[in-house]
Amino acid sequence: MLSSTQDEIQDEADISLDTFQVTVKLPHHPYKTQTIVATSDQAQDIRQSIIDVPHTFQYSCFHLELNGKRIPEFVDLGEISGIVADAEVTLVEDPYTEKDARLHVIRVRDLIGAAGDRTDLVRGVSSGLSLHDHVANPQENVSMTTCGGSNEARTNRSDTHAMSGFNLEEPSSIDILMPPPEKNPPRCIKTVFVSPWSPPPYHLRSKGHLLYLVVTTNEGEQFHITSHVTGFFVNKSSNNKFDPFPKTTPSLVHAHSLLTLLSRISVSFESQFKALQQFLGNRDPLSTFQISNALPSEPWVVPQSSTSLSAHSPDICRSQETYLVSGAENTDTLRDWNEEFQTTRELPRETVQDRVFRERVTSKLFADYNEAAAQGAILIVRGEVTPLNPTEPRDAQIFVYNNIFYSFGLDGVGTFADEGGDEAARVATGKDVSGVKMVNQLDIQDLSTPGTAIIDYVGRRIVAQSIVPGIFKQREPTEHQIDYGGVEGKDVIAENEAFVPLFKKLSEALRVKKHPVWDKDGKRHELEGSIETKGLLGTDGRKYVLDLYRVTPLDVLWLEQYCELEKDSESAKDNAKYPHTMATLRPELVDIYWRMKLREYIKSEVAKSNESGEASAEDRSKEIENGADHENGATKEETSTNGQVAKMSNGVKPQDDEAAEAKKALESDRVDVSGFQYALNPDIATGQQPVTEEDKGQWAKDEVEVRAASRYLTDEILPGLVADLQEGDIGFPMDGQSLSVMLHKRGINIRYLGKIAQMCEMPQPRLEALKELAIQEMVSRAFKHVVSQYLRNLPTPFSTSCIAHSLNCLLGFRLCSSPKAEADSEMRTLYGEEGFEFEKATPHSVHDSLKSQVYLRYRYELPLSWFDSIKPTQMLREVSLKLGLQMAAKDYQFTPASPSAPNGVSPDSDDSASLSVAGQPSKKGKKKKKPNAPNPQDSPTSDPRQTFHADDILNIVPVVGDSAPRSVLAEEALETGRLSIAQNNKELGQELLLESLSLHEQIYGILHAEVARVYYQLSSIFYGLGDKAIAVELARKAVIVFERTVGLDSNETILAYLNLGLFEHANNNTRLALTYIRHALSLWKLIYGSNHPDSITTLNNVAVMLQHLKMYHDSRIWFEASLHVCQKVSGEQSVNTATLLFQLAQALALDQDSKGAVARMREAYTIFNAELGPNDRNTKEAENWLDQLTQNAVSIAKHAKDVQARKMRRFHNFAPRVGMSTRQSARVGQQTATNGIVGGPLPMDETTVGMNGTSSRAVLDGQTGVRLDERSVEELLKYIEGGDAARGSSNSGSNRTAGPQNPRRRQQRRT
């Protein structure tokens, strides 16, 4: 399967690389243009390239012809005869329709910058923002001054760099997420809007009139314009007179494009339009393109409403855009979503071209559906859509809007009464979307799913589904509403043979087995899947699968432990029942457990056959497992070659690229796995009662397997994850989102956060950090549930007041112990008293509610002072992301202002300490505290001020959960390229990788999170292949697309910035690299705080980059900062610490601190010797370095003594002889990375102190600056070596090296 797909993709790569140039003849100036196309492109690709080129912006309504014949839009150019290199195609302008004219007006308004700011239901403030261009130009980035030190002062000095003044311990300001103020763009036209005379009357529609416009030029002239089927012309109308016919005096002004017409009626338009293009050209195109195939990221902090960045400018056409987009009848936006989903699924998939087209249409369709679903959900929450059943209770009401069926994620009709009611219904909707997404990813032919999405908005969960034909049809009394599966819970069960083969494929893919179930009459039924999974035969003849919220078995051990009340317990806490019984095992866990069983099967088979070979049974099992993964279309997690960490923070260990080698070695000796069969029963512990003894025995066996899988999670997976994080084998999560993704990839449910926190009780720095992160995530999720209860019945206009008051109770209680809810009393009288329970909330009650919610949902008891360990800014970010809040960008004050606590940070908080990058108290930091204090207008008055106000919440955006599948073809292409690289077929591998990138861009569009992840992965691959320029370009694209689709401060964006910095340094752009890393570190502090366990290597890389810039003193400071964090995280006697001490000793030597260099190298040698033994290569290398550094220190001391003596004799011009030569250093940092001591640091700079009798020239440069000492050489030698006993003078001059002996003596003294 994989090899055939690989051949297809390789053939497609060969075809797609066959590019050539085509000339397009234009009807107007410049009359010709050239474009590069591939044989796999289509006419629409040429059309899009014409629309995007500045000198052909005017064309939007046209078609292409070749030799007088129209070129089909969606046919590959390779299939059209005559489309060859240097072929000429002709652009022919088409007559406009009303829709074409409306869309043309929208396009022209966007091009000339006349659209102004827009308000959208789904997209919030600063939607899809990118900061890359501002970060790459520090002189324009005013936000960099907030992280320590003035950027202006740094840029005015030639000896400074981007990291100057950066304080690792000082909290980052949220202003780093704000773009700097920009100049107003050139104005091409004053106004352009739809005329009040529009739409045309009936008698003029037949004459070709489409709509009327009013344009006011920069010169102040007003023109009335008619949009006609032939184009646009100036008419005779005025504000008071209607005459839409052409104005012939002084001359007829007519053009096919509105853009051309504007240039003819306005003298300044053309020059202003060119200036606008230059203004926009200063930014990267990726940061300005409109996002069309995905929902953009919504920043959680946005500019305040009073700033110029969010100024609301007048635009008369803003309210007319709905008409321009959808027409007067709003028919353009009404779509039959279900029919589109199913016809797209049924598109041909035989060839690669068919699959590309099919997956591209699918990706666009899901993006459109998600946006439409979110729009309808917002209107429903606001009460602007009439329900289909208005007489039912609010929770049971259903809606239809834009051909999408909506319902609340609540148990309005009692479906989940036995499982937990509303709590179970809410969980079931989320699991249903995940189940639909899995089925969509499997892409089983003839098995259909409805378009599904969940939208969380203002505390309410809305379920949006495309309308399945026949789902509302009332059948005959003898017929069931469902054709397969449980009809009415477990009482009635339907069977239909037509669904069996489809459900069998689904069950095999999900690792669940065919099993019997019994209805209320005890009748036995065989089902291929859970009883809750239903099959429906639609009236369109298609087979639909519904209710996919329980496709895997229940977590039996969890339910038995926490869903059954303790009758003998007197404690109410012990008697707290888990909120629902929908606790299932994750599909990832089922797959992991299946692989484990496969390995056991292979081991047993190997043991039976007694076959001998070079590979062990374990290697065989892993190889067979990898082969099975490829056959099932599984994709490997990509590992990162980022200098920050050697893997993405997803909690999955990177896999070695040795699969091909192992496969080749075992080709002649493979274990047959055809006899392996293993699947789980999804209906265990659901109340089924087997009847016969045979069924009871089989049911008991199935229950044992399900219990074993549940126990495997608690006994193996959880401890393994904690151990991997403790040892640093996987990337450490940065925030709650990365922690959740890491858990899910390991098959761990979020409900086990409490177990993870309990396993981190031991005093180990990495475990303490994990515990803090887990508690933060539990509290933020509990807060979401508490606030959702307040918002559930609250009128929408009071949502911001409720959330602000709740935030004050959670985070602002130190500033104001008794916050008051801010609600408009006059407006409140219109709504009555129901739903305003939030006003009674106090910090104490909210904290108690959070504590009980954390215990109820995660079985973790928060300590009494848990709120003291909460990081306010990080918690605010987590809460905002989960609730969809867009907060005003300002430094919120969480504690009373004090001189020692800038920005409202508690003096007791870890973030309040002002430490230099060396990790030592900074006197400069203390002086800088005063300017960082809150502004005078923000300082507390005599009355207690509240941290949050309703006006601080500028917007609430919906949080959308979708069921869009990933592209299987694009992932197969990427995996094929990686395999070719692993097999040392670099040329073919690079072609395939570029082809996979092309497939991702074609299928998803450029601005999509999946494309950003491919950019990230390919940048690392090409960097490893030595193509640094390509790596930098791909890394830059990854940063921009991550910012716009995932978030400005997401963990993926931070890693992408670190990657980009590393690659820019390798490309000899070290100063720009430091700028990127500074921004990444600032974001890192914002989302996590200081001293992240994985920040050690990044700080080390900064030091190496500064060495490259010959800034040795600053480099030394950053090495010390890296060591400071490492000692906190790994301990002072760890091998990681020894490695950093080794590098710091080199940096100290370069900084002319020979005494410090010897001391640090001695510490490194002592740790290496104790931890690795005297025969380890690192120990021997440290011993050799210690010897040479000691000799170097003695030489410097002798030289200083000679200089002093010469000064006394007034011989000032005598040049000293230096007996030690210089040469380039061995790359020790790279060696230690190879040894696995510290993962991923940059190699030491070429000017590092050398070995074997060599030293850097920098150590001996400027020796006259060394402070002179009057002690003898012998005394200086004893001082440098740290010895107290007297040594003979003969030893100091002997050839025997004393370096290796000194650390041993020092170690003996310590012991």
Side-chain angles (χ1 to χ4, degrees), residues 1153-1211:
D1153 186 355
S1154 57
K1155 175 187 173 184
V1158 172
R1160 291 301 191 180
M1161 189 60 71
R1162 181 182 291 109
E1163 293 179 28
Y1165 168 77
T1166 303
I1167 297 174
F1168 280 141
N1169 189 44
E1171 298 294 329
L1172 303 178
N1175 296 324
D1176 185 81
R1177 184 170 60 88
N1178 294 282
T1179 307
K1180 293 181 179 179
E1181 195 170 3
E1183 182 180 17
N1184 198 1
W1185 272 86
L1186 179 59
D1187 179 36
Q1188 301 304 322
L1189 287 175
T1190 303
Q1191 292 186 10
N1192 189 35
V1194 173
S1195 177
I1196 292 175
K1198 288 182 178 180
H1199 178 73
K1201 198 72 173 178
D1202 293 341
V1203 169
Q1204 184 181 21
R1206 285 194 299 271
K1207 277 190 174 183
M1208 294 176 63
R1209 295 191 298 266
R1210 300 183 180 275
F1211 293 131

Side-chain angles (χ1 to χ4, degrees), residues 779 783 806-813 846-847 850 866 875 879:
V779 172
F783 182 79
S806 301
L807 288 174
N808 281 324
C809 294
L810 173 66
L811 301 174
F813 62 94
V846 170
H847 289 179
L850 293 176
W866 61 269
M875 179 60 71
V879 168

